[in-house]
Amino acid sequence: MPSAAAEAVRAYHERSKHRPERYAPGPGRLDWANQPDPWRTWDGAPRTALPLAADGLATRHAALRRGELTPPAPFDRAHLGILFELSLALSAWKEFAGSRWALRCNPSSGNLHPTEGYLIAPSLPGIAAGVHHYLSREHALEQRAGHEVGREGGWG
């Protein structure tokens, strides 16, 4: 027999989920005066600027749709910059009535819950080994954790 806590969770789930005939109940409004910061950053984290270079790519979208594959690219700062630029970067800024907001390459719920990107990599020219958070506003990587190579040659 389920516990009282489990029953409370199930009852909450049933009351709060979307259904084919209606949306989940909510507050009925957005609190525009109390919005979270759309940019996740860490003060003091070392940053590595990435180059903006996607406009220089020779392969166009139409060629990819025809099945033309691009040649393999090196795992380096320049190509990682292109990967983040095309997948998670900002595509434009919009402004209206004194408000300004960014449009992203990956639309997600009207930019209310932006997708985060991370890179876990060994030491590369211009990028330290470790875990890096992608900061789309600045097209940069923020190092969140570093790694050292252990005696066996693996991650320490």
Side-chain angles (χ1 to χ4, degrees):
M1 176 171 241
S3 69
E7 285 299 324
V9 169
R10 182 178 292 284
Y12 171 79
H13 175 70
E14 288 299 319
R15 285 191 319 270
S16 64
K17 70 181 180 181
H18 290 301
R19 298 184 183 277
E21 68 277 5
R22 67 166 173 80
Y23 290 116
R29 63 179 181 80
L30 291 176
D31 183 1
W32 292 107
N34 190 23
Q35 293 294 305
D37 186 348
W39 312 106
R40 179 175 294 193
T41 62
W42 283 271
D43 290 337
R47 288 191 182 165
T48 301
L50 296 172
L52 290 168
D55 286 344
L57 291 175
T59 304
R60 303 282 69 160
H61 180 71
L64 294 173
R65 289 190 48 104
R66 287 191 303 269
E68 297 174 23
L69 300 177
T70 59
F75 190 53
D76 60 16
R77 184 174 153 268
H79 288 92
L80 286 168
I82 290 171
L83 174 68
F84 279 111
E85 181 180 353
L86 292 175
S87 60
L88 295 171
L90 303 183
S91 59
W93 284 92
K94 290 197 121 178
E95 192 168 344
F96 179 76
S99 293
R100 186 173 188 246
W101 63 95
L103 299 179
R104 298 175 190 244
C105 290
N106 62 326
S108 60
S109 301
N111 204 24
L112 298 177
H113 303 285
T115 303
E116 296 291 327
Y118 291 83
L119 170 69
I120 302 171
S123 180
L124 301 168
I127 299 177
V131 178
H132 302 264
H133 167 254
Y134 176 64
L135 179 56
S136 60
R137 180 185 61 207
E138 298 180 22
H139 192 54
L141 296 173
E142 296 178 300
Q143 188 175 21
R144 297 295 302 127
H147 288 281
E148 294 181 14
V149 177
R151 284 182 266 180
E152 307 283 319
W155 288 88

